[in-house]
Amino acid sequence: INLPFGRGAVTGVDAVIARGSIDTDNLFVTGGSGGGLLTAWIVGKNQRFRAAVSAKPVIDWMSFVLTADSYPFFTSYWFGAMPWEAPEEYFRRSPLSLVGAVVTPTMLLTGEQDWRTPISQSEEFYQALKLRGVDTALVRLPDSSHALADRPSQLIAKVLHILAWFERYGGEPASERK
């Protein structure tokens, strides 16, 4: 599938819908780490999803590079400037810049021991969504790192939270899945 970027671009979601057999009134989105960032970004760009789960996201690049474990790498290779030298560039790339447009019910899910994308990132988006009146939840997985699955019980908790959030907004109940 050729997916050109820019104005009038066809997204991956649009391409899958065009193939048929997709219930466009029952779309959900989730992702973790970079995918968590993109999940938070996409709900600020459109309203096509019934619910979203953003796991271990980057929400605000400025506070992220000043709290994450690999801060010298992020500032040197991803931005080329320190946050105080280019604050508008950091904000422009942050899902937090789009929070004013979010209406999608969004759950944030992060490990309390995640030093790669600290839980403060999830807390920022959660509180911003609460201030806007958007239905949201913050799931803090205790003793969990960025992997969210250091133990089998953590992986199970992660999956169950995501499924419960999607079921709450019209997803198929577990009892009806094949």
Side-chain angles (χ1 to χ4, degrees):
I1 298 173
N2 184 8
L3 302 175
F5 295 98
R7 294 181 76 120
V10 175
T11 69
V13 174
D14 293 326
V16 172
I17 289 170
R19 291 181 172 186
S21 72
I22 300 296
D23 180 358
T24 58
D25 293 325
N26 209 22
L27 296 174
F28 300 87
V29 62
T30 187
S33 197
L37 179 150
L38 292 174
T39 297
W41 186 268
I42 198 169
V43 297
K45 286 290 194 177
N46 68 67
Q47 301 172 4
R48 75 186 321 160
F49 299 98
R50 293 192 60 169
V53 177
S54 178
K56 52 195 178 181
V58 172
I59 296 300
D60 177 354
W61 280 107
M62 185 179 289
S63 64
F64 168 77
V65 300
L66 296 173
T67 58
D69 61 355
S70 296
Y71 59 93
F73 177 85
F74 300 125
T75 54
S76 297
Y77 296 101
W78 289 6
F79 286 93
M82 294 296 143
W84 51 89
E85 296 169 343
E88 56 286 333
E89 183 60 20
Y90 279 76
F91 189 68
R92 184 184 70 78
R93 295 184 191 181
S94 298
L96 189 60
S97 70
L98 303 173
V99 77
V102 177
V103 297
T104 305
T106 304
M107 173 187 282
L108 289 300
L109 190 142
T110 304
E112 289 183 341
Q113 303 303 313
D114 186 344
W115 310 127
R116 178 61 34 91
T117 54
I119 198 161
S120 59
Q121 292 294 300
S122 291
E123 291 168 338
E124 283 187 46
F125 207 59
Y126 170 77
Q127 289 182 193
L129 293 173
K130 286 299 250 186
L131 286 170
R132 294 214 43 257
V134 176
D135 198 11
T136 185
L138 175 63
V139 176
R140 305 170 63 99
L141 294 177
D143 302 318
S144 185
S145 71
H146 189 67
L148 291 182
D150 296 324
R151 296 187 310 266
S153 60
Q154 291 169 332
L155 176 59
I156 292 167
K158 172 188 150 186
V159 171
L160 291 177
H161 280 292
I162 292 170
L163 291 175
W165 188 254
F166 289 165
E167 286 175 17
R168 179 176 174 177
Y169 292 96
E172 184 179 304
S175 61
E176 295 178 20
R177 285 190 207 109
K178 294 178 182 178

